[in-house]
Amino acid sequence: MSNVLRLAIVDPDDTQRESLKSMLLGMDMIWLEAECSRYEFFGDVVSQTTPDIGLVCIDADPEKGLQLVGQLGETSPNCAVLVVSSSNDGNLILQALRSGAKEFLTQPVRLEDLLGALGRISERRFGRGENRPRGSQLIAVAGATGGVGTTSLAVNLGCDLAADEGNSVALVDLDLCLGDADVFLDTIPDYTLVDVAQNVTRLDFTLLKRSLTKHASGLYLLPRPVQLEDVALITAEDLQRVIGLLKATFTHVVLDLSKAYSPIDMLALEMANHVLLVTQLDLPCLRNIVRMMVSFEAIDGLKDKVKIVVNRAGLDNGQITQKKAEETIGKEIFWQLPNDYRTMVEVRNNGVPLLEQAPKAAITQSVQALAQALCGDETATLPLAESGKTSVLSRLFSFGAHK
Ligand SMILES: Nc1ncnc2c1ncn2[C@@H]1O[C@H](COP(=O)(O)OP(=O)(O)O)[C@@H](O)[C@H]1O
Ligand SMILES: [Mg+2]
């Protein structure tokens, strides 16, 4: 990621420093530039390494620690100082802030608080809005009805994104009762979403990564709970935390939603940067999309984030045309994935992604191009549905939907 914050840490207490380090090391947004066990040397370390953040733990000697904070403000004004202390005494906090600290965190540092502080520092450093370098991308994959191809797309999109060495990608199976992302990836995970959700406040990044199952493609999977009874243990609040943690750890997080449109699914839709709504070109699906779009209006910005993905395009069963579908749902179709039942059944039954099973197949290339259009060079590929034009992809795959 381009908006990585470089950080240097000083703490004379080795145990405490190690535990903070392990929290920081798993974060994609953090690059640990230097560590130091003596307050006296830290000024020089910061001058030489010019980190974005100087993390000063003052417990070992609060007086010396605060003196260092003041000194850093003078010698390295571009370094944002974050003070950590086990005391939450108001006077001490005030002193730290007056000495020039930008943030103050109390020990034991909670991951959420650390993320909040780093987020604020990052915002000050990189700014917000248009020019801000990209952070983690959260992609929710939802479906217009059961069996429409949501999981097939979520899994293969995740694997395609993970194939790029610059990315780190997690897939979360939010079909909490019947999800089958683990089958698609032929894995038997040790932990599930319920374990992570219940321990989210205690998890550090190393533990988080260990709780996920890493697939040969590089994709990390967080599967649905094993027992149906456990589903009720996952609240929307837990999920919000889990997603926050995943976003700080991975460059891309793909969410495979259920068709229940439960509070969990709705939260995922709300938090996502992109929502892929998978459909087929038949009446029941299109009618559901129309209904969903009406309900989505209640959530700020959601309707605009939705991208319609037609799956099994070209399936010869009296499909509705693309034009008619767009008129019906009042939205452009963003992408069309060709129908290829044999390949799709093979990938599911063999538990291998499209990239491995059928790298040259049109369906594989179409999912790859979709990943690229979503998260890569956006100028590289245009959406299919520009009215009146025949796009490169539709010509390539002769979907027949432009009739
Ligand atoms: N593009 C496609 N062409 C043909 N069959 C597909 C395609 N995408 C998915 N399928 C098949 O449709 C079925 C349902 O897919 P799945 O991804 O499990 O849907 P969902 O998660 O929406 O319930 C699977 O048997 C899968 O192999
Ligand atoms: Mg599914």
Side-chain angles (χ1 to χ4, degrees), residues 154-156 158-159 162 169-171 185 213-221 254:
V155 167
N156 287 292
C159 291
V169 190
L171 170 69
L185 293 168
T213 307
K214 191 172 182 189
H215 183 256
S217 62
L219 178 69
Y220 284 85
L221 172 70
V254 181

Side-chain angles (χ1 to χ4, degrees), residues 70-86:
Q71 180 201 329
L72 289 174
E74 283 168 22
T75 53
S76 304
N78 290 329
C79 173
V81 178
L82 201 161
V83 169
V84 174
S85 162
S86 54

Side-chain angles (χ1 to χ4, degrees), residues 67-216:
Q67 224 176 342
L68 168 66
V69 174
Q71 180 201 329
L72 289 174
E74 283 168 22
T75 53
S76 304
N78 290 329
C79 173
V81 178
L82 201 161
V83 169
V84 174
S85 162
S86 54
S87 160
N88 56 5
D89 172 44
N91 269 331
L92 187 76
I93 298 175
L94 205 61
Q95 256 179 292
L97 297 180
R98 283 194 182 137
S99 304
K102 292 280 184 293
E103 298 282 342
F104 188 102
L105 294 177
T106 36
Q107 283 278 27
V109 173
R110 294 195 334 158
L111 203 51
E112 276 174 283
D113 298 336
L114 180 62
L115 284 174
L118 295 174
R120 285 187 293 277
I121 291 174
S122 166
E123 229 164 60
R124 276 183 231 127
R125 173 118 323 204
F126 300 115
R128 314 173 86 155
E130 299 280 293
N131 297 327
R132 196 178 171 217
R134 280 191 154 178
S136 179
Q137 294 287 301
L138 187 62
I139 305 159
V141 189
T145 194
V148 83
T150 311
T151 306
S152 305
L153 176 60
V155 167
N156 287 292
L157 187 67
C159 291
D160 284 351
L161 291 169
D164 182 336
E165 277 182 9
N167 295 338
S168 56
V169 190
L171 170 69
V172 187
D173 191 345
L174 289 182
D175 191 347
L176 300 185
C177 293
L178 304 177
D180 48 8
D182 55 337
V183 177
F184 276 80
L185 293 168
D186 192 24
T187 52
I188 304 173
D190 293 329
Y191 301 100
T192 73
L193 184 58
V194 74
D195 304 300
V196 173
Q198 292 197 315
N199 294 296
V200 67
T201 49
R202 273 174 284 161
L203 279 183
D204 61 30
F205 291 94
T206 321
L207 266 178
L208 173 73
K209 272 197 172 156
R210 251 188 252 150
S211 317
L212 308 186
T213 307
K214 191 172 182 189
H215 183 256

